[in-house]
Every structure is written in structure tokens, then in C-alpha cells.
Amino acid sequence: MKKIINKPENFVDEVMEGIILAYGDKVKFLNGDKRILLSNYPAKEGKVGIVTGGGSGHLPVFLGYVGQGMLDGCAIGNVFASPSSQKMADMIRACDRGSGVLCLYGNYGGDNMNFDMACEMVEFDGIETRTVRVKDDVASSPKETADKRRGVAGMVYAFKIAGAAAERMMTLDEVAAIAQKTVDNTRSMGVALSACIVPEVGKPTFSINEDEIEIGMGIHGEKGIEVRKMMTADEIAQTLLDRILEDMPLNSGDEVSVMVNGLGGTPLEELLIVYRKVHMMLAEKGISVYMPHIGEFATSMEMAGLSLTILKLDEQLKELLTSPANTPFYTNANKIPLK
Amino acid sequence: MKKIINKPENFVDEVMEGIILAYGDKVKFLNGDKRILLSNYPAKEGKVGIVTGGGSGHLPVFLGYVGQGMLDGCAIGNVFASPSSQKMADMIRACDRGSGVLCLYGNYGGDNMNFDMACEMVEFDGIETRTVRVKDDVASSPKETADKRRGVAGMVYAFKIAGAAAERMMTLDEVAAIAQKTVDNTRSMGVALSACIVPEVGKPTFSINEDEIEIGMGIHGEKGIEVRKMMTADEIAQTLLDRILEDMPLNSGDEVSVMVNGLGGTPLEELLIVYRKVHMMLAEKGISVYMPHIGEFATSMEMAGLSLTILKLDEQLKELLTSPANTPFYTNANKIPLK
Amino acid sequence: MRACDVKEIFSYISEIMANNKDYLIELDQQNGDGDLGISMSAGFSEVASYLKNTDEKDLGKLFMSCSSKFNEAASSTLGTIISLGMMGMARTLKGKEEANISEVVDALEQGIQRIMDKAKSKPGEKTILDALYPAVEALKANSSRGVKEATKAAYEAAAAGSENTRNMKPVHGRAAYYGDKSIGLLDGGSVAGKFIFEGIYRYYSENYKDDSDK
Amino acid sequence: MRACDVKEIFSYISEIMANNKDYLIELDQQNGDGDLGISMSAGFSEVASYLKNTDEKDLGKLFMSCSSKFNEAASSTLGTIISLGMMGMARTLKGKEEANISEVVDALEQGIQRIMDKAKSKPGEKTILDALYPAVEALKANSSRGVKEATKAAYEAAAAGSENTRNMKPVHGRAAYYGDKSIGLLDGGSVAGKFIFEGIYRYYSENYKDDSDK
Ligand SMILES: Nc1ncnc2c1ncn2[C@@H]1O[C@H](COP(=O)(O)OP(=O)(O)O)[C@@H](O)[C@H]1O
Ligand SMILES: Nc1ncnc2c1ncn2[C@@H]1O[C@H](COP(=O)(O)OP(=O)(O)O)[C@@H](O)[C@H]1O
Ligand SMILES: [Mg+2]
Ligand SMILES: [Mg+2]
Ligand SMILES: [Mg+2]
Ligand SMILES: [Mg+2]
């Protein structure tokens, strides 16, 4: 195992300490608890709270989106494991400003059950909650059982757009409805070239042959659903886009945002080469791209590979995507179109 | 070779096409030349131009810093190879607004000779130029021959600060002097855990044993100056910082900016763990950190490893570091301290 | 069963989980993320050490605390499921300082029911339930034969049930992606379920001389 | 030497560089980045194909164009150095449609001088100069023996000079980092220099029957 870490069991805590040392003006722990991160940015009174949670090892997902115009709080667990319901409940309480809290997170067994318990706990205290689960990973279940799909990089769009809705002082139900619309309009598909190593496990979850790639790998380093011979960047772009468009057909004249997300080990150059092909294929179909996101937004530590996310836009989503957001790990300040 | 690319010989061109498809509102080619990128942001009349150049394969270095408040133009060559002097000359001409152009780039043989030729060519046309070479890589030469040192991630600070000086309408000599001061106050040191593969070469430049790391590797995937047994994150942080402070002593009360830069294959989590230790060691010495930069700023494609850069600040440098800059690949919008 | 039995039982289970940490990791890596061994050993060791230091006598309150300790330490999918099961048991045992075997069976049935409700699953879906469910059934069917025999039967049923998951198609979690491809593979969660009943059985067989109904 | 000789010579050199692309990559990888083989084969093939399609007779203008073509195609450190050398030659050959051997020697000396000025280097520093410099000296010393013999001597001197770099400590570029550690290693640039004179020699030896002073 070749990782720049200290004791594997301190991995998550030390990452969190690093974050507070670097960005302690912008984010903070809840009562010193290193697994609950809250925004330190000024927030409007009565604004709906938005929280998320999930396992560690996916930076900037999830806690990287805690800040202004996105999330109010995030509870994190060990690497690839859900945080506890108790921590989630504490976080929800801390993020309620009297207008309720939206729990917006990826559709995973552990997270679902824990957030459900947490919501039960805080509703006891009279805090209203809504739940929207992100289910953008097309590979994770067929269309007929789309409800079982997991959440991957597409959740960043949901965070961004729901965050902007809350910032505009929409109600809890309105914010939840917009988050749900975003989720409904988002599809992702990924490929992995190499696996990743959970620090406490110390060896890769699976190994991929030198001449093969895994289509639809899991964001926790789980094996892909399909092993294919290594392809060119253009073929990868085509394979991913085809699967997405099969699931969510688009028409000429549609406008989308495109995210080409590196999983951790893949260079930016390669993401741009894939973006190039995706853009050209969409353009051929008369589909235009607004505010592309190319970079690392949801990773699996050192895994090599990338995911493609398509968000179908309407005027409302577009406007909310454009409105300002700033966190220590994300900003759209340099993504907003010139002129 | 496991890379998400098409034909290796098209690597650079396709990356550049991807950039223009994604960010064509913010940057543009000079007369369709895919090796010369210019800013498309509005710029003040008579502003001093700042240009750079160098090999491909280091994104966001170099061209990622072309935009507002940083660079006006960048000429790039093949992977890890200098662009030609002709392209540099064309770029310099395009970036001159009558007040002259600063050539600000890393101290490498090919780049030096080509930029020198380019400056000779444009001076023929009456364009004034100044040259500042970035030499922050402590590992690349001993202190006695510090003039031979190469430029690595520290150049991002030079781009940022010189860019802000130009934005404030300082003269060419003033901008060059500030760039030089930044370079003089910057030191970097890196470690590599794995090598990288030049697409057209198809195999790694060197191999590192599973239990070893290379201290002071080259940004082109050159072997390090010293092979060491794998260390913990804290030991790595200490090794790098010690070497930097030996070269540029700091005193209690000093203020610095710290960059922990991933080389391409290393997860953000690990960068934060290293930042944590660096911050703590500096704090122990009474040195405070302003606007840390943690992420990927200068890479060597898929190389695993990181570099540490320390920029010693004074009031002027601090102010210029803080003033706004936006490019498709960089912004300090979310780095500026709250309150 | 009294608080002191619960303490011992969990220390047996915790030891087994720790010894099988790598094995559980491997099983989970077959088509999951490999964290199963980590969360099981962390969760049970946390609960075991909590139990060592508590004077709580009320079995309901004891299991409620175990549930939340377990969830704190191991909030992975399976960790949460086990914690839900403990919560179900806690409700049934509330107010009791001692429970006879049929009351324990009752509590376990409630625990399993709570898992099925919250995790939206049932036996036959290649999960831990395929070990837990037959084990509790066997415990019930053999309860008249005394605690040693009954827990032995439960453990054997759990082991057989776990082995049976090889023939099943996964429905939940990441494993479900692989569908038919995972036929033949053992479900890691069911093995953890088997280990739970192994701990219970070993505690009673090593510490109870006569087959009294404790 | 006339334009038609130059054309042929570069096609010989280009072929040698292409055949040794991998070898040059390997040499550069010893303590550089490995691009040497790529830039040498790209640069010379570009120049060779430019020369095939030009009618330029003026040797000065010809070398000037070669210099900028080479720099466009191969602007790495060594590429730029070779392009600087060509530029130096161009200045000396300007206005001539034919150059005799001593004029060629003159031009080569100017080329080397220009490299030394701009790259701030001299023989003995483990670079291409350690092949080029002795080669030109040998060419000069043997110029009275006719072009075949003279270019043979030059090639042999280049080869010996390149071999000699094994004993030298690098001063320039990335290689300088390694200092004494690189003693024993051959400098890739000097091998490229040897190949240049190998191309020149082979052209004359294969195409010139008599040892006339061309
Ligand atoms: N809905 C469910 N009901 C019961 N058991 C489940 C369910 N989903 C998963 N499991 C069990 O949990 C195990 C996986 O647990 P764990 O490794 O913690 O999951 P993950 O790492 O995916 O969060 C499976 O082997 C299975 O036995
Ligand atoms: N200052 C110099 N003067 C002469 N030759 C040099 C100089 N620096 C480097 N070289 C030659 O260039 C070769 C390296 O060229 P190249 O691979 O293009 O460099 P890089 O990849 O570092 O840009 C060396 O082997 C050496 O022969
Ligand atoms: Mg997990
Ligand atoms: Mg090079
Ligand atoms: Mg698991
Ligand atoms: Mg080289």
C-alpha cells in the first residue's frame, strides 16, 4: 500500500484536522466533533438548511460542498461507511433555522437507514425534515428498478441547485422539489482503470488487468458491472454518453450541463480529451452545453478513471446553477459564462 | 500504458480542443494555432502583458492560468518539451498593449533559449520585454548554484502576484520587480510515489519500488535526487519543510502562503494530511499561514506524489495574492479569508 | 439471560469478529467495498468494552445503549442493520432484568422484524437475514432442550443458512449489481450473522454445566 | 557542398534518428525525461521533408529555414540547441550556393560557437558538444584528405567523443542533479551528435566515388 498517510485508523480524523487548519475561517466542527462539519459563512436568518452525509474517501464529496450557497452541514463516517444516525441528528439540529432541513444524499443502504433514524429523532424535537436521495448512477440498476440506483458525482449538481434555492429563501417543500427535479434530470456513468485502497484494509478491493477497464465501477472501489478491453478516450466518451442518453433521451435544442469527473488518479488532460468528444457528440445532436464542470468533484481516493454526468437544464435549473456558491473546495466563480 | 487518450500524437491537440470547447468564452487560440492560448477576458487598455510557456502535461500549469488577473497568454509545446521560439514571439506580439510584456516562466534549458530568441525577435518590432525565470525547486541544485534551479509549482504564486500587479496598471519594470521578488521568496520541494508516462513514449520514465519514494523528483517524471524508504505523511511533511527552511530560513512572526500540490495521482485526502502537519510545524515556530493552496496546481500527468511550496509574504505580496483572479482552471474567489 | 450473560456473550462475539476481520474483508471485496471486517470488529469491540464498564441491569436499556454504541462505531450498512436489530430487542426486553429462553426468542424475533421493516428485506435475498432468521427459528424449536442444545442448534442453522446464500441472487446493496454473476459466492453479511450465533453458542457451551433454562 | 548534398545528408540523418528513436529515449530516461528520441526523429524528419520540397539554392537561406523548421518541430532543449547551431551555420553560408570543405568547417565552427554562446556551455560538460566539437576539429584536421576520409575521421571523433561522456559529470539540465551518480552513463545528446556525423559520413561514403573536395 503506497499512501501518504500516518496510522490508517487516524486517516479520517487527520484529514478533518487538515481541513480545519486550512479553512477554519470558512467551516467548523460541531462542538469539536471531527465527523460533523458545519458552514461558517454568514447565512440568512430563516433559510432552509441543507445537509448531507456519507462515507469518507470521496473528497470533495461530501463535505467539500459545505459553505455558502450549497450545504449547511455534513456528517461523515469512516472511509466508505455511513456516519451514525446520532451524528446526523446532531447535525440536523445544528442546521435548522426554524424553517426545516433537507437531507440530500446518495442512495446507499447505510446512509438511508441512518438518515431515516436521524429524521425520526429530530422530528421528536419538532424539526421538520425532507429527504431527497440522489440516484444518478445509471450502471447501478436497470431502468425498471431505477429507485435502487446509487448516488455518484451527480449529487454535486443537486447540492449546488438546492443550495441556491435555499439561498433564495424558498420553503422547505420548494427546495425539496427543486432538489428532486435536479435528481430526476441527472444521469451518470463511470469507468475505472484501477482500483483504490481503503487505508484500514491496506490492499485494493479488486484488480484490473493492464489491458482492461471496468464500466460502471462503484464509487467505493467496487468492481464494475462489465469488464471491457481498454478503449480509446473517444470510445469511452461514446460508451458512457450512449448509456446515459438511452436512459434519459435528449432532443435537439436541449441544454445540459456536463460534468467530466476524475476519480482521483486520472490527469486533467485526459478529462479534457473525453470532454472534447462528449461536447462534439452532443453538438451533433443539436444539444448545447452550459457551464461544464471538468475536474475532480467526487473521487474514490487514488482510483484512476472518470465519470460522466449529464444534467438536463430548464430555465430555473440554469439560473440556480449560475447563482454564486463558495466553499473551500468548490466555487462557480470561474465557471459562469463570460458576457 | 493505461491512459484515456486517442492517438498519442494527438494528445496535446485534443486537450487544447477540449479546452476551447469547454471554455471558449474565456480563452482562445491565436489565429487558430492550437499551441498558443490567449485570454478572452476583458483587459484594461495599456496593461502590461504577462506570458508564459513550456511543455504540455502539467495542467493546470501553464495555460490554466491564462485569464483575468493572471496571464495574458501561454505558448505550449509537446509533452514536457518547450514550444518553439516562433510561437513564443507570435504570442508576445499578441499580448503587447503598448506597455511591454513580461515573460515569466520556469527555468528550463529549452524554454530559456527559445524565450530568449523570441524576445530578440519581438524587440526587433519595438516590443519591450522583461524576463523573470522561476527557480523554486530546491532539490534541483544546491544553494551555491541556485541560479540553475528549475521552476515548479511555485510559479503559480508568481503568475498570481505578477498578474495582480499588471492588473493594477504597474509599469513593466515594476511588474518584473514584483515577479522577481515573488520568485526570490518562493521555495518548493517534492516527492514522487510513482512515475508518469509520456503518451508518445508509452512507458514510465523510471520505476519506483513498492516500498520507496523519490525525494526531489523532476516535474517531467525524471528520477528523484534521493531514493528513500516509504515514510509516513508526517515524515514527508517534515522532510520537505526542513529542506525548504534550511534554504530560506523563516522567523517567528513571519507570514507565509503554503501550497500543497498534488502531482496528479495523489488523492486530496493525502494532501490535507500533509498540510495538517506542515501547518502545525509552522505554528510551532510562530509562523502563520495565509491563503493556503491545497489541490492540483502543477502536475505531471498521472504521477503520484506531491510538492510543498512556501511563499514568504510581505504586505505587498499579501495584497496582490488576495486581489481577484479568474481563469477557467484557477480562481482565488473561494480562497480569500472570511471577514 | 441477565446483564452479566449479555456482557460475556458480546465479548465472545467480539473476539470471533476480530479473529475473522480479514476473512470478512475478503468476502465483502468479492462484490462490495471490503469494509465489512472493519465495521464488524469495530462495532462489536466497542459494544463489548461498553458492556464491561456499565452497571446497567435493565436488559432493555442495555440493548438500547448497545444499539447506539454499535451505530456510532460501525454505521456501515450491516452495522446499521445490526444496530436496528438490537433496538428491536431493546423494546421487547424493556423493564426486565432477567429473560428466559422464550423471552429471548421473542426479543430476537422483534429484532429481526425491525430489520426487515427498516431495511426493506426478507430472508432469501442473500443477506445476513439468511443466517439470523433460521437461527432464531431453530432456537425457538429447540428451546425446550435447554440453552446449550438450543444455542447449538441455532448456531448450526445460522451456519447452514449462511452457506445457503451461495445459491441466492443478491437483491440489496452493491452486490445486487452483479445479479447472477454472484451465484456461488458466500454473502459476507450472512457469515457475520453466523459468527454472532457462534459467539452465543460458545458462551453457553463453555460456561454452563447443566442444561438449565437460563 | 551544395543544396542537393544538404538534402541528401539530412535524409540520411533523419533515417538514422528514426531507427534509433527508442535507443535515444532510453538514454534520455537514465536521468532525463525520455523525450530525446521523439524530438530528434521529429525534428530531422521535418527538416528532411522540408528539404525535399524546396528549390532554395542559397545555402545560408536553406540552413536558416532548416533552423526554424527544426525549432518548430522539436523545441526541446536539444532541439533548440541544434536549431541554434543551424542558425550559426546559416549566417556564415549566406549568399553561397556552394561551399568547399573549409567553408563548411567554418560554418560548423560558427554553429558550435553560437550554441556555446546561447546555451552557455562548452565541451567537457557531458553534452552534445562533446561529440560535435571533436568531430569538427577532426574534419578540419583531415580536410586535405578529401571529403570521404575527412567525414570518416569526423564521425569517428564524434563517436569517440560521445563515448567519452561516460567519464564526465553533467553540468546542464536535469542530468546535473545527479552529479557523480551519472558517471559511467552515456549522454544521450552526444549520441545524437554522433548520429549527425554518421549521417554525413554515410552520405559521402556511399555516394562519392572519388575523394574529391566537395
Ligand atoms: N437491505 C438489507 N437487508 C439486510 N441485509 C442487508 C441489506 N443490504 C445489505 N445487507 C447485508 O449487508 C452486507 C454488506 O454490509 P456492508 O459491507 O456494511 O455494506 P456497504 O459496505 O455496502 O455499506 C451484505 O453482505 C448483506 O448481508
Ligand atoms: N546547455 C547545454 N549545452 C549543450 N547541450 C546541452 C545543454 N543542456 C542540455 N544539453 C544536451 O541536451 C540533451 C538533453 O536534451 P533534451 O532531452 O531535449 O532536454 P530536456 O528534455 O531536458 O528538455 C542532453 O543530453 C545534452 O546533450
Ligand atoms: Mg461500506
Ligand atoms: Mg523534455
Ligand atoms: Mg461493505
Ligand atoms: Mg529530455
Side-chain angles (χ1 to χ4, degrees):
Chain A
M1 176 178 50
K2 222 163 180 183
K3 280 179 181 281
I4 303 181
I5 59 173
N6 297 303
K7 291 210 183 100
E9 57 272 30
N10 297 339
F11 179 76
V12 176
D13 282 359
E14 291 181 354
V15 169
M16 297 304 289
E17 288 164 17
I19 288 173
I20 292 299
L21 289 173
Y23 311 120
D25 55 327
K26 304 184 179 75
V27 286
K28 62 184 175 216
F29 293 142
L30 174 59
N31 301 325
D33 187 331
K34 290 177 188 161
R35 303 306 177 95
I36 306 176
L37 199 76
L38 302 179
S39 168
N40 218 4
Y41 288 81
K44 290 176 200 149
E45 195 123 339
K47 182 186 93 67
V48 162
I50 306 182
V51 300
T52 196
S56 294
H58 302 299
L59 281 183
V61 153
F62 307 83
L63 57 85
Y65 302 98
V66 172
Q68 191 158 45
M70 293 187 90
L71 304 173
D72 297 279
C74 175
I76 56 144
N78 286 326
V79 173
F80 300 165
S82 169
S84 71
S85 51
Q86 190 54 57
K87 290 202 191 297
M88 290 174 174
D90 293 344
M91 165 184 68
I92 296 172
R93 285 189 196 98
C95 294
D96 179 47
R97 289 183 198 79
S99 312
V101 175
L102 171 66
C103 300
L104 180 57
Y105 57 92
N107 185 37
Y108 292 90
D111 299 310
N112 292 351
M113 288 182 285
N114 282 302
F115 259 117
D116 282 352
M117 284 195 265
C119 289
E120 272 186 51
M121 297 178 199
V122 302
E123 271 160 21
F124 228 77
D125 313 341
I127 297 176
E128 241 195 311
T129 66
R130 294 288 179 281
T131 291
V132 172
R133 292 177 182 154
V134 183
K135 305 174 179 181
D136 56 319
D137 186 10
V138 171
S140 59
S141 215
K143 208 175 170 64
E144 307 80 60
T145 47
D147 228 43
K148 289 198 168 182
R149 286 181 181 166
R150 294 184 155 190
V152 285
M155 72 178 71
V156 176
Y157 282 131
F159 295 160
K160 171 68 198 75
I161 287 170
E167 204 63 31
R168 294 182 181 201
M169 300 306 285
M170 295 190 189
T171 66
L172 181 57
D173 280 323
E174 288 166 343
V175 174
I178 283 169
Q180 188 61 56
K181 179 165 83 171
T182 309
V183 171
D184 294 341
N185 282 6
T186 306
R187 297 291 186 284
S188 300
M189 208 35 223
V191 286
L193 275 67
S194 75
C196 64
I197 303 177
V198 175
E200 289 196 66
V201 174
K203 53 186 188 238
T205 309
F206 62 104
S207 65
I208 308 182
N209 289 336
E210 197 31 55
D211 62 338
E212 288 176 346
I213 57 173
E214 303 245 354
I215 310 278
M217 82 296 145
I219 190 172
H220 302 132
E222 297 103 334
K223 262 185 278 201
I225 49 168
E226 204 181 308
V227 178
R228 296 272 287 268
K229 285 286 152 198
M230 189 61 203
M231 301 189 256
T232 65
D234 285 359
E235 287 163 352
I236 288 173
Q238 177 130 28
T239 304
L240 300 183
L241 186 62
D242 282 355
R243 293 285 279 268
I244 288 173
L245 295 188
E246 222 169 80
D247 204 85
M248 178 176 71
L250 295 174
N251 300 313
S252 177
D254 281 349
E255 203 169 6
V256 299
S257 189
V258 170
M259 180 180 288
V260 178
N261 170 57
L263 297 179
T266 287
L268 189 46
E269 282 85 357
E270 298 178 16
L271 306 183
L272 285 158
I273 292 178
V274 169
Y275 177 80
R276 167 185 171 276
K277 181 68 179 179
V278 170
H279 186 110
M280 294 184 333
M281 288 187 295
L282 289 171
E284 250 170 50
K285 295 181 203 293
I287 299 157
S288 58
V289 180
Y290 182 78
M291 266 180 77
H293 281 56
I294 306 167
E296 295 185 350
F297 298 93
T299 63
S300 297
M301 295 185 293
E302 67 278 11
M303 188 186 278
L306 54 83
S307 65
L308 172 65
T309 299
I310 304 282
L311 163 64
K312 189 177 164 181
L313 293 169
D314 61 16
E315 276 314 309
Q316 186 189 39
L317 295 180
K318 199 170 153 180
E319 205 188 310
L320 293 170
L321 185 62
T322 317
S323 76
N326 276 300
T327 82
F329 295 87
Y330 178 89
T331 175
N332 63 1
N334 60 339
K335 295 186 182 68
I336 296 167
L338 273 196
K339 274 159 287 167
Chain B
M1 176 177 53
K2 221 163 180 184
K3 280 180 182 279
I4 304 180
I5 58 174
N6 296 304
K7 290 212 183 100
E9 58 271 31
N10 297 339
F11 180 76
V12 176
D13 282 358
E14 290 180 354
V15 169
M16 297 304 289
E17 286 164 18
I19 288 173
I20 291 299
L21 289 172
Y23 310 121
D25 54 328
K26 303 182 179 74
V27 286
K28 62 184 176 215
F29 294 142
L30 173 60
N31 302 325
D33 187 331
K34 289 177 189 163
R35 303 306 177 94
I36 306 175
L37 198 77
L38 302 179
S39 168
N40 218 2
Y41 288 81
K44 292 176 198 149
E45 195 123 338
K47 182 185 94 66
V48 163
I50 306 183
V51 301
T52 196
S56 293
H58 302 300
L59 279 183
V61 154
F62 306 85
L63 58 84
Y65 303 98
V66 171
Q68 191 158 45
M70 291 188 92
L71 304 173
D72 297 278
C74 175
I76 55 145
N78 286 326
V79 173
F80 300 164
S82 169
S84 71
S85 52
Q86 190 54 56
K87 291 204 190 297
M88 289 175 175
D90 293 345
M91 163 183 69
I92 296 172
R93 283 190 198 98
C95 294
D96 179 46
R97 288 181 199 80
S99 311
V101 174
L102 171 66
C103 300
L104 180 56
Y105 57 91
N107 185 38
Y108 293 90
D111 299 310
N112 293 350
M113 289 182 285
N114 282 302
F115 259 118
D116 282 352
M117 285 195 267
C119 288
E120 272 186 52
M121 297 179 198
V122 302
E123 271 160 20
F124 227 78
D125 312 341
I127 296 175
E128 241 195 311
T129 65
R130 294 288 179 280
T131 292
V132 173
R133 292 174 182 157
V134 185
K135 305 174 179 179
D136 56 320
D137 185 11
V138 172
S140 59
S141 214
K143 206 173 170 63
E144 307 80 61
T145 48
D147 228 46
K148 288 198 169 180
R149 287 182 180 164
R150 293 185 156 189
V152 285
M155 74 177 70
V156 176
Y157 282 130
F159 295 160
K160 171 69 198 73
I161 287 171
E167 204 64 32
R168 294 180 181 202
M169 300 305 283
M170 294 190 190
T171 66
L172 180 57
D173 280 323
E174 288 166 342
V175 173
I178 283 169
Q180 188 61 56
K181 179 166 83 174
T182 308
V183 170
D184 293 342
N185 282 5
T186 306
R187 297 290 185 287
S188 300
M189 208 34 223
V191 286
L193 275 66
S194 74
C196 63
I197 303 176
V198 174
E200 289 195 68
V201 174
K203 53 184 187 239
T205 309
F206 62 103
S207 64
I208 308 184
N209 289 335
E210 198 31 56
D211 62 338
E212 288 176 345
I213 57 173
E214 304 245 354
I215 310 279
M217 81 296 144
I219 190 171
H220 303 131
E222 298 102 333
K223 263 186 278 205
I225 50 167
E226 204 183 307
V227 178
R228 295 272 287 267
K229 285 286 151 198
M230 189 62 202
M231 301 188 255
T232 65
D234 285 359
E235 286 164 352
I236 288 174
Q238 177 130 29
T239 304
L240 301 183
L241 186 62
D242 281 356
R243 294 285 281 266
I244 287 173
L245 296 187
E246 221 169 82
D247 204 85
M248 179 177 71
L250 295 174
N251 299 312
S252 175
D254 281 348
E255 203 170 5
V256 299
S257 188
V258 170
M259 179 179 287
V260 178
N261 170 58
L263 298 179
T266 287
L268 190 46
E269 282 85 359
E270 298 179 15
L271 305 184
L272 285 158
I273 292 177
V274 169
Y275 177 79
R276 168 186 171 274
K277 181 66 178 177
V278 171
H279 185 112
M280 294 186 331
M281 287 187 294
L282 289 171
E284 250 170 49
K285 294 181 204 289
I287 299 158
S288 59
V289 180
Y290 182 78
M291 267 179 76
H293 281 57
I294 306 167
E296 294 185 349
F297 299 93
T299 63
S300 298
M301 296 185 292
E302 68 277 14
M303 188 185 279
L306 55 83
S307 66
L308 172 66
T309 300
I310 304 282
L311 163 63
K312 189 176 163 181
L313 294 168
D314 62 17
E315 276 315 307
Q316 185 189 39
L317 295 180
K318 200 170 152 180
E319 204 188 309
L320 293 170
L321 186 61
T322 317
S323 76
N326 277 300
T327 82
F329 295 86
Y330 178 88
T331 174
N332 62 1
N334 61 338
K335 294 186 183 68
I336 295 167
L338 272 196
K339 273 156 290 170
Chain C
M1 186 180 71
R2 305 167 60 92
C4 57
D5 298 306
V6 175
K7 289 181 186 205
E8 289 284 328
I9 288 171
F10 275 95
S11 109
Y12 271 80
I13 299 176
S14 168
E15 197 195 313
I16 298 171
M17 294 293 182
N19 290 339
N20 288 283
K21 183 172 168 177
D22 289 341
Y23 174 50
L24 289 173
I25 288 174
E26 265 168 46
L27 286 174
D28 194 32
Q29 282 186 329
Q30 293 178 115
N31 42 30
D33 56 359
D35 61 349
L36 200 59
I38 296 167
S39 62
M40 287 302 104
S41 61
F44 281 102
S45 106
E46 178 71 19
V47 167
S49 80
Y50 155 72
L51 287 169
K52 267 204 190 89
N53 301 305
T54 181
D55 292 329
E56 184 59 62
K57 293 273 177 291
D58 182 304
L59 290 173
K61 289 191 188 149
L62 202 65
F63 270 95
M64 199 63 195
S65 298
C66 288
S67 167
S68 73
K69 292 287 169 195
F70 199 95
N71 187 231
E72 273 297 318
S75 27
S76 63
T77 303
L78 194 64
T80 307
I81 281 169
I82 290 173
S83 154
L84 282 166
M86 291 174 177
M87 208 185 277
M89 292 178 71
R91 297 192 171 194
T92 322
L93 295 170
K94 206 166 156 188
K96 296 201 175 83
E97 294 203 356
E98 182 164 1
N100 65 22
I101 196 160
S102 81
E103 287 169 321
V104 171
V105 165
D106 240 32
L108 285 166
E109 282 179 341
Q110 288 309 311
I112 287 179
Q113 192 54 52
R114 197 169 164 87
I115 294 174
M116 297 198 297
D117 291 349
K118 295 287 176 181
K120 303 190 178 62
S121 52
K122 55 184 193 303
E125 294 172 344
K126 200 168 187 139
T127 72
I128 188 173
L129 288 173
D130 294 308
L132 299 184
Y133 196 92
V136 175
E137 281 204 318
L139 189 68
K140 190 173 187 174
N142 293 279
S143 56
S144 60
R145 299 172 60 203
V147 70
K148 269 173 97 161
E149 284 303 315
T151 53
K152 184 169 183 230
Y155 166 51
E156 286 167 358
S162 170
E163 199 52 40
N164 250 332
T165 61
R166 288 196 195 274
N167 310 318
M168 297 176 188
K169 232 174 96 169
V171 185
H172 298 283
R174 177 68 198 185
Y177 293 33
Y178 305 102
D180 286 336
K181 280 183 222 158
S182 87
I183 299 246
L185 301 180
L186 205 52
D187 175 60
S190 75
V191 174
K194 177 187 81 173
F195 288 150
I196 293 174
F197 277 93
E198 183 179 339
I200 298 173
Y201 161 59
R202 271 174 44 190
Y203 167 66
Y204 283 105
S205 76
E206 290 173 22
N207 295 283
Y208 276 64
K209 288 209 182 97
D210 52 329
D211 256 7
S212 62
D213 171 355
K214 292 281 163 80
Chain D
M1 186 179 71
R2 304 167 61 92
C4 56
D5 297 307
V6 175
K7 291 181 184 203
E8 288 285 327
I9 288 170
F10 274 94
S11 108
Y12 270 80
I13 299 175
S14 168
E15 197 196 313
I16 298 171
M17 294 292 182
N19 290 340
N20 288 282
K21 182 172 169 178
D22 289 341
Y23 175 51
L24 289 173
I25 287 174
E26 265 168 47
L27 286 174
D28 193 33
Q29 282 186 329
Q30 294 179 113
N31 41 31
D33 57 0
D35 61 349
L36 199 61
I38 297 166
S39 62
M40 287 303 103
S41 61
F44 281 101
S45 106
E46 179 70 21
V47 167
S49 81
Y50 155 72
L51 286 169
K52 269 206 189 87
N53 301 306
T54 180
D55 293 329
E56 183 59 62
K57 293 273 175 294
D58 180 307
L59 289 173
K61 288 190 188 149
L62 202 64
F63 270 94
M64 199 64 196
S65 298
C66 288
S67 168
S68 73
K69 292 286 169 197
F70 199 94
N71 187 231
E72 272 297 318
S75 28
S76 63
T77 303
L78 194 65
T80 307
I81 281 170
I82 291 174
S83 152
L84 283 165
M86 292 174 175
M87 207 184 279
M89 293 178 72
R91 295 190 173 194
T92 321
L93 295 169
K94 205 165 154 188
K96 297 200 173 80
E97 294 204 354
E98 181 164 2
N100 65 22
I101 195 159
S102 81
E103 287 168 320
V104 172
V105 166
D106 240 31
L108 284 166
E109 282 178 341
Q110 289 308 312
I112 289 180
Q113 191 55 50
R114 197 169 165 86
I115 293 175
M116 298 199 294
D117 291 348
K118 295 288 176 183
K120 301 188 180 62
S121 52
K122 56 184 191 304
E125 295 172 342
K126 200 167 187 141
T127 72
I128 188 173
L129 287 174
D130 295 309
L132 299 185
Y133 196 93
V136 175
E137 281 204 319
L139 189 67
K140 190 173 184 174
N142 293 280
S143 55
S144 61
R145 299 171 61 201
V147 69
K148 266 175 98 159
E149 284 304 313
T151 55
K152 182 166 185 237
Y155 166 50
E156 286 166 356
S162 170
E163 198 53 40
N164 250 329
T165 61
R166 288 196 194 273
N167 311 316
M168 296 175 188
K169 231 173 95 170
V171 185
H172 298 284
R174 178 69 197 183
Y177 294 30
Y178 305 102
D180 286 336
K181 278 182 224 159
S182 88
I183 299 244
L185 301 180
L186 206 53
D187 174 61
S190 74
V191 174
K194 177 187 80 174
F195 288 150
I196 292 174
F197 278 93
E198 184 178 338
I200 298 173
Y201 162 59
R202 272 176 43 191
Y203 167 66
Y204 283 107
S205 76
E206 289 172 23
N207 295 284
Y208 277 64
K209 291 212 181 92
D210 52 330
D211 258 6
S212 60
D213 171 354
K214 292 282 162 78

